[in-house]
Structure formats: C-alpha cells, structure tokens
Amino acid sequence: MLTQNEVDGLRLKLLPSGADRVMDLVHMHRDQTTLTNVALENVPLLILARQGMIARLQIQGASVKLSQPHEILKALQQFFTTPETLYIYTNLPPMPIPPFVNDLIDEIAARVNSRETLRAEIDEALDKGDRQRFYQLSATLQTMMDQEKGVTL
C-alpha cells in the first residue's frame, strides 16, 4: 500500500508526459499499489522513468505491455476493478529546484528559528519574573511579526 507521503514524493519528481493523470488514478487506489526497488517479472507492474511509462498488466487473461499514457490509463482503470496489487518501479530524477527557492527556504527557516528562540527567551523571562526583559522581548517579537506581514511601525 502506498502512503500519502510516497505519492507526494512521486509527484515531486520529473514525471514523464501523461503521468500526472496516471498518478491521480494511482493516488485514488493507493491501497492496491506498492513501490518496488526492482522491475519485477510476472506481476502487474508500472514503470515510471523520465523518458516515459511502461505498464505490464493482465488484460482479459493475457499479459499486455503498454507504453502510451492513454492506453495505460485505460488499462489501469480496468485493473483497479480487480483486487490485485500494482507494483510501481520508478527511475525518476528529482525535480530541479532553482537556487533562489533554496535561498528562500533557508531564509524562512532562519526566521522561524529566530522566532522560536525569541519565544523561548520570553518564556524564560516570564519564569524569572523579569518584567522589563519580557516587555523588551515581546516588543521585538511583535516587530518581527509585523515585518513579516509587510507592516513596519
């Protein structure tokens, strides 16, 4: 059974053309699908690679190999009416993330860490009964939150 995290992980890869609709169908039938690290033989198999998809499924008692997205989608719709498990083998590169996105993520993480550190210091000032430090740190936190909203006082 595929977990939601595994499906989301697949969606974050560079999927071949037409695979988005197939992934929607797989998502709806997560309980009948599982990931595999090897391309298995003699089992219902969907291979996702950067260049395309291949499905090996039993259709009307015969093993069929499909490579066109619309054919795969139609065959999987029929397959998921059976109780069998579909194995998914992937050979997909991760989606490239532009450097500015990584920089933005790092900046946001630093802000969150600063805010959490500040909140811990506020809690500490409260515990010690240091009213002046509490007011000072609370004002700093409020300024930080206003700046994040685009409001500067």
Side-chain angles (χ1 to χ4, degrees), residues 10 13 18-19 23 36 45 54 61 67 77 87-88 91 93 97-99 104 106 111-113 118 123 125 130 147-148:
L10 287 174
K13 305 266 185 178
M23 288 308 303
T36 180
L45 179 68
I54 296 175
S67 62
Q77 288 169 337
Y87 293 87
I88 300 175
N91 184 12
I97 299 175
L104 182 60
D106 291 343
R111 285 183 192 173
V112 168
N113 287 338
L118 197 52
D123 288 344
D130 188 346
Q147 287 174 342
E148 287 179 3

Side-chain angles (χ1 to χ4, degrees), residues 9 12-15 50 91-97:
L12 291 176
K13 305 266 185 178
L14 282 174
L15 293 172
R50 180 64 198 122
N91 184 12
L92 296 169
M95 191 176 296
I97 299 175

Side-chain angles (χ1 to χ4, degrees), residues 113-124:
N113 287 338
S114 294
R115 196 168 44 240
E116 291 306 314
T117 300
L118 197 52
R119 285 189 174 131
E121 290 177 16
I122 289 170
D123 288 344
E124 184 181 318

Side-chain angles (χ1 to χ4, degrees), residues 16 25 33 44 52 58 64 66 68-69 72 80-81 83 93 95 97-99 104 110 113-114 118 120 123 135-136 146:
L25 186 61
T33 57
Q58 290 286 329
V64 179
L66 306 163
Q68 295 301 312
I72 293 172
F80 285 128
T81 63
M95 191 176 296
I97 299 175
L104 182 60
N113 287 338
S114 294
L118 197 52
D123 288 344
Y135 288 140
Q136 175 191 10
D146 288 344

Side-chain angles (χ1 to χ4, degrees), residues 132-151:
Q132 183 62 32
R133 181 144 172 82
F134 169 76
Y135 288 140
Q136 175 191 10
L137 292 170
S138 295
T140 303
L141 179 61
Q142 186 61 47
T143 301
M144 184 183 295
M145 292 174 65
D146 288 344
Q147 287 174 342
E148 287 179 3
K149 290 179 187 174
V151 177

Side-chain angles (χ1 to χ4, degrees), residues 60-84:
Q60 299 174 348
S63 183
V64 179
K65 188 175 182 180
L66 306 163
S67 62
Q68 295 301 312
H70 67 280
E71 293 174 338
I72 293 172
L73 187 61
K74 185 176 177 182
L76 284 176
Q77 288 169 337
Q78 183 180 354
F79 172 82
F80 285 128
T81 63
T82 70
E84 291 187 68

